Amino acid sequence: MFKVIDKSIINADEMVLNMGPQHPSTHGVLRLRIITDGEIVSKVEPVIGYLHRCFEKHCENLSYEQIVPFTDRCDYLASMHMSHSYSMAVEKLMDVELPERVEYIRVVVAELQRIASHLIAVGAFGLDVGAITPFTWTLRDRERILDLFEMLCGARLLYNYVWPGGVSHDLPPNFIQKTHEFLDYFLPQIDEYNQVLTTNKIFIERSADVGVLPLDVGINYGVSGPSLRASGTSFDLRKDEPYSVYDKFDFNIPVGEGLMGTVGDCWDRYYVRVLEMKESAKIVRQALDSIPSGDVHEALPKKIRPKKGEVYSRYESARGDVGFYIKSDGKNIPQRLKMRSPAYCNLSVLNEISSGWMISDVITVLGSLDIVLGEIDR
Amino acid sequence: MSDEYYVKNDLSLVERFDKDNVVVAKLDDLINWGRAGSPWFFQFGLACCAIEMMAAAGPRHDLERFGMMPRATPRQADVMIVAGTVTLKMAERVKRLFEQMADPKYVISMGSCSNSGGPYWQHGYHVLKGVDIVVPVDVYIPGCPPRPEALIQGILELQKKIKLDTPLRKKS
Amino acid sequence: MSISDILTDQFKDSVEFSDQQNCLFIKDPSKWDKISLFIKNDKRMKFNYLMCISGYDLDDGVNLGLAYNFSSTELKTYLEVRIEFAYLTHIPSVTPLWRAADWHEREAYDLFGILFDNHPDMKRILLPDDWEGHPLRKDYITPEYYKGMPVPKDKSYWE
């Protein structure tokens, strides 16, 4: 931890640096106004809004079925989670009972998407710190997951798959066998990443003890997801308030323990994600072994026209706690739809945990928080 | 090989003398061949299309075999791939970065958001309906998002366009 | 005692709990800072996690609303609070109690024009600083040009 130098010793003014909207390591169009004293940062101010695509205004003019592709494009790295969370909110509003097969398929797809999103998070964090090879390895493994999704619904990145009331396509004939093959291939790869990145001395020096997030500060700022679990709590919506069929599966919640430094530093946030990939693989295996049969289009409503009312539904996505607040007044168009995105609150804590560190540490902290600008700016 | 062989098979002067140590070609062709063979791209990923651009530069669909290397700064880049939605707040930065690139420069507009506003055309009060309002575009790639193979086809079209250029002629 | 009983006991007429919508209505916005302090610090409630602040526009041209969602990480309870008021009313900010409210209130100001008191840094967050108007209001009209770039979808008048 560095101290800002006492101004009476050296006559140095503070400098305002602009890490502009276009920068290779800001994970999207994010602008950081950094006020530094030499190399040491005294304040970081994120400026967002460069990707504000008027998602909420579109939702006030489109029907409930037409909104699903737009929810995909909010968090484009975990689009199954977004459309699943939106579908759950609409189903709560309309009191729809789903067939078991639909719930199992949704869980399988959501956990595969969690693995794909964490692969990019882990690889991009390595890229920020300076390791380029693990990024190409994680991209290669992610391509195999995208092959599975392409077999399922035809698209690689933005699926339009989870609809309110069901899913759009049933599982193709050899999907289960190919997924088992992928999981058999994937679990030894995590050991390879651990060898190259997790226990790498340079990586540990760069990320351990940097950007420590204390637990009460995290809760006060509204942080959620793996970034909060790395600070020592096992707060996970899949176990605390189980939705869908998550209460039927047996899995653990990885919690940060400060193995290489303080609890809640960047290394912890990275390692929690690596462990979560293993847990997601466990859930997928259990779900595929016990999937019931049925018709997936059985509960799809012909016209979505909920009664007057409001709903706030929460969901655990790859980045944290996604909330959809939908206000309906009886028409087939929502009156107000607000999406509470987890990366919005995660990013607001950046100033608090990176003051007093160097400029390159700001990039390390930003990479460990794993933000996606599409869901911050909506 | 006789002259008729070369004319009938539409082979240029460069291929004709490849067995000897002498190459006779138009200087234009030589310069275009050099430029089209290594277009370094300026990674301007804004939204979802940026992920497909990263996947195209990844191990499976390799972009380096076309000579494309990602550069972080506009001053060293030849091609700017605008991937993703351009908003009004971002538009003047796009223009400024385009002006910082050195000639000859090209722009590829990737995805329907930068072609014409994309799915946000109807009620987007903050979305620029097409990046060609602020910068001149050479190749448009449709899709939402376009597959990496579509991006590669767009780059091949750009290479064809570069080879038709006449760099030595005085521009009036 | 349930949450609704505790609150109606303490604040009498300023609040009203609606079981049908499962939320607390604040009738007097100026009392909101005392009520929010009570919600956070009282030992029976301990709502220390603010999840979301959404603004909404009731379509009558006069009133706006704010919906707050709280949860307690220790007692595992959940509360929703709603305030409805006319345009240009000042609402006390809850940023000193929950820092998560900082950016959410800036967004409510940016998109709806709701004014907050005691906020550390009130300025626009998503739209550019010189944007005019508050887009998510129901009576918002899209501007024609912004700094020389045409905004609406029909570009024919410009081309």
Side-chain angles (χ1 to χ4, degrees):
Chain A
M1 185 69 192
F2 304 94
K3 283 214 240 22
V4 180
I5 297 176
D6 187 15
K7 292 219 168 58
S8 60
I9 305 175
I10 300 179
N11 182 19
D13 289 328
E14 287 190 330
M15 183 167 64
V16 176
L17 267 186
N18 186 35
M19 220 159 161
Q22 192 281 329
H23 188 99
S25 66
T26 51
H27 295 264
V29 273
L30 168 67
R31 176 173 161 217
L32 294 175
R33 274 187 88 230
I34 309 181
I35 302 178
T36 68
D37 179 12
E39 182 79 10
I40 302 169
V41 167
S42 43
K43 186 174 174 207
V44 176
E45 195 187 301
V47 179
I48 57 177
Y50 291 92
L51 199 59
H52 178 60
R53 293 182 280 194
C54 333
F55 166 64
E56 295 173 4
K57 189 81 178 178
H58 279 271
C59 291
E60 289 178 11
N61 291 307
L62 293 168
S63 68
Y64 286 93
E65 301 95 336
Q66 290 174 314
I67 294 178
V68 179
F70 284 86
T71 56
D72 274 345
R73 280 150 180 82
C74 280
D75 178 359
Y76 35 85
L77 287 176
S79 36
M80 289 287 190
H81 290 168
M82 293 284 129
S83 38
H84 191 183
S85 153
Y86 169 72
S87 305
M88 268 174 40
V90 176
E91 282 151 16
K92 230 188 200 176
L93 203 54
M94 290 203 316
D95 268 329
V96 169
E97 186 69 40
L98 290 170
E100 283 264 316
R101 187 173 169 88
V102 167
E103 299 275 22
Y104 274 80
I105 293 180
R106 282 182 178 185
V107 165
V108 165
V109 153
E111 293 305 317
L112 281 176
Q113 180 75 82
R114 196 182 304 266
I115 298 178
S117 171
H118 282 323
L119 279 173
I120 289 239
V122 157
F125 185 49
L127 196 65
D128 285 344
V129 168
I132 306 186
T133 312
F135 187 57
T136 48
W137 290 357
T138 57
L139 275 186
R140 170 196 63 186
D141 294 331
R142 181 173 169 261
E143 291 282 334
R144 297 181 69 136
I145 301 183
L146 296 187
D147 278 343
L148 289 173
F149 281 143
E150 194 176 345
M151 197 192 320
L152 184 64
C153 61
R156 277 169 52 102
L157 196 69
L158 302 166
Y159 313 105
N160 191 12
Y161 182 66
V162 182
W163 293 348
V167 288
S168 74
H169 296 87
D170 201 350
L171 296 180
N174 50 354
F175 183 81
I176 297 184
Q177 177 221 343
K178 284 232 167 344
T179 315
H180 277 299
E181 276 172 20
F182 165 70
L183 290 173
D184 290 331
Y185 156 80
F186 178 62
L187 284 171
Q189 297 295 104
I190 300 188
D191 296 327
E192 213 175 279
Y193 303 144
N194 277 343
Q195 263 183 332
V196 146
L197 204 53
T198 313
T199 48
N200 187 335
K201 180 117 175 47
I202 302 178
F203 184 71
I204 295 173
E205 296 265 336
R206 278 294 303 261
S207 62
D209 280 332
V210 171
V212 176
L213 177 68
L215 186 59
D216 47 349
V217 170
I219 293 182
N220 204 359
Y221 271 86
V223 179
S224 54
S227 309
L228 189 67
R229 290 201 276 280
S231 297
T233 175
S234 70
F235 187 56
D236 185 336
L237 277 175
R238 293 174 292 172
K239 284 267 190 194
D240 291 338
E241 293 172 28
Y243 50 86
S244 188
V245 287
Y246 275 104
D247 41 3
K248 299 201 175 135
F249 303 122
D250 168 39
F251 59 100
N252 303 324
I253 306 288
V255 171
E257 283 158 13
L259 288 174
M260 295 285 173
T262 340
V263 176
D265 55 12
C266 293
W267 192 90
D268 267 340
R269 288 194 275 276
Y270 157 83
Y271 195 53
V272 159
R273 291 195 172 98
V274 173
L275 291 176
E276 275 194 10
M277 289 200 280
K278 281 197 191 155
E279 302 296 326
S280 290
K282 247 202 257 181
I283 299 178
V284 174
R285 265 201 222 277
Q286 290 170 39
L288 286 177
D289 287 336
S290 55
I291 195 166
S293 58
D295 180 18
V296 294
H297 293 165
E298 196 183 317
L300 274 179
K302 286 202 185 17
K303 230 179 169 21
I304 301 186
R305 197 180 273 262
K307 302 186 293 295
K308 203 164 158 72
E310 290 94 4
V311 72
Y312 182 77
S313 92
R314 303 168 71 190
Y315 182 92
E316 176 83 22
S317 100
R319 273 158 199 87
D321 189 2
V322 174
F324 266 91
Y325 175 73
I326 305 187
K327 201 164 175 323
S328 136
D329 55 355
K331 297 198 274 208
N332 64 339
I333 293 179
Q335 200 218 5
R336 168 85 168 109
L337 188 145
K338 156 123 179 145
M339 188 185 109
R340 184 261 190 205
S341 70
Y344 192 67
C345 304
N346 288 3
L347 183 60
S348 56
V349 89
L350 182 66
N351 181 27
E352 185 82 21
I353 59 180
S354 57
S355 323
W357 295 97
M358 300 220 189
I359 296 180
S360 40
D361 293 326
V362 170
I363 301 188
T364 313
V365 171
L366 191 64
S368 74
L369 286 176
D370 189 21
I371 54 173
V372 168
L373 262 297
E375 82 175 341
I376 293 181
D377 288 339
R378 271 160 278 138
Chain B
M1 291 278 151
S2 65
D3 277 358
E4 279 97 45
Y5 173 77
Y6 287 102
V7 169
K8 198 166 60 164
N9 292 324
D10 198 22
L11 295 173
S12 68
L13 282 174
V14 179
E15 278 105 347
R16 187 170 176 178
F17 289 95
D18 62 353
K19 293 230 172 19
D20 313 322
N21 284 335
V22 171
V23 172
V24 174
K26 289 192 331 207
L27 195 55
D28 271 350
D29 280 349
L30 196 61
I31 293 178
N32 287 341
W33 171 75
R35 283 182 182 167
S38 75
W40 286 2
F41 71 99
F42 174 47
Q43 49 187 44
F44 203 71
L46 299 165
C48 351
C49 287
I51 309 293
E52 289 293 52
M53 185 168 76
M54 271 165 33
R60 187 183 278 194
H61 326 266
D62 186 11
L63 271 186
E64 290 236 9
R65 55 193 163 132
F66 300 103
M68 299 202 94
M69 208 166 101
R71 307 303 296 165
T73 155
R75 308 230 182 234
Q76 297 171 356
D78 302 313
V79 183
M80 178 161 95
I81 304 185
V82 180
T85 321
V86 183
T87 57
L88 296 179
K89 200 167 175 181
M90 192 68 197
E92 61 176 308
R93 276 93 178 167
V94 174
K95 187 146 187 263
R96 202 186 297 177
L97 285 167
F98 177 71
E99 284 162 7
Q100 282 179 355
M101 283 166 70
D103 265 342
K105 53 193 177 194
Y106 306 94
V107 174
I108 295 182
S109 159
M110 177 180 177
S112 34
C113 283
S114 55
N115 285 348
S116 63
Y120 304 100
W121 66 279
Q122 210 173 9
H123 305 284
Y125 47 84
H126 193 238
V127 170
L128 190 67
K129 316 286 189 305
V131 79
D132 49 6
I133 297 180
V134 285
V135 292
V137 174
D138 292 300
V139 175
Y140 294 85
I141 305 180
C144 190
R147 292 185 59 108
E149 289 96 340
L151 175 61
I152 292 176
Q153 186 184 2
I155 290 173
L156 292 176
E157 294 285 323
L158 181 69
Q159 283 186 338
K160 274 191 219 164
K161 186 172 179 184
I162 296 179
K163 286 189 176 149
L164 293 175
D165 202 5
T166 53
L168 292 178
R169 203 170 295 173
K170 264 206 197 115
K171 293 199 182 359
S172 52
Chain C
M1 278 174 92
S2 72
I3 295 175
S4 55
D5 295 334
I6 303 176
L7 284 167
T8 28
D9 225 13
Q10 182 86 10
F11 291 103
K12 317 254 177 334
D13 281 331
S14 316
V15 301
E16 178 195 320
F17 195 88
S18 150
D19 275 316
Q20 179 220 17
Q21 297 181 34
N22 199 20
C23 75
L24 188 79
F25 275 102
I26 309 271
K27 297 211 200 109
D28 183 5
S30 55
K31 297 260 182 343
W32 173 225
D33 44 359
K34 298 197 190 54
I35 302 178
S36 52
L37 196 63
F38 182 73
I39 294 179
K40 183 165 188 211
N41 292 336
D42 187 70
K43 290 200 187 6
R44 297 164 288 182
M45 303 173 66
K46 280 200 204 177
F47 284 110
N48 58 351
Y49 193 69
L50 168 63
M51 294 192 284
C52 178
I53 303 181
S54 339
Y56 54 91
D57 185 353
L58 299 153
D59 217 344
D60 51 10
V62 177
N63 286 325
L64 297 172
L66 272 174
Y68 293 74
N69 298 84
F70 297 103
S71 90
S72 165
T73 51
E74 289 172 49
L75 303 172
K76 311 273 191 229
T77 45
Y78 168 75
L79 175 70
E80 182 176 336
V81 173
R82 253 182 249 164
I83 314 180
E84 285 173 13
F85 48 91
Y87 171 47
L88 284 184
T89 318
H90 282 248
I91 311 283
S93 158
V94 295
T95 311
L97 297 169
W98 295 280
R99 294 305 301 263
D102 189 352
W103 279 21
H104 283 107
E105 287 176 353
R106 277 176 70 182
E107 185 186 338
Y109 163 67
D110 191 5
L111 297 174
F112 283 95
I114 301 177
L115 302 163
F116 289 93
D117 289 333
N118 292 337
H119 191 277
D121 189 24
M122 180 55 78
K123 56 181 190 229
R124 284 194 185 259
I125 188 170
L126 291 175
L127 292 168
D129 286 329
D130 52 357
W131 191 268
E132 283 158 10
H134 298 282
L136 278 182
R137 295 246 184 99
K138 298 282 184 189
D139 52 1
Y140 180 71
I141 304 175
T142 318
E144 297 267 315
Y145 280 96
Y146 173 70
K147 285 193 186 167
M149 294 178 278
V151 177
K153 59 181 157 87
D154 181 19
K155 293 194 276 187
S156 51
Y157 70 91
W158 166 77
E159 271 164 0

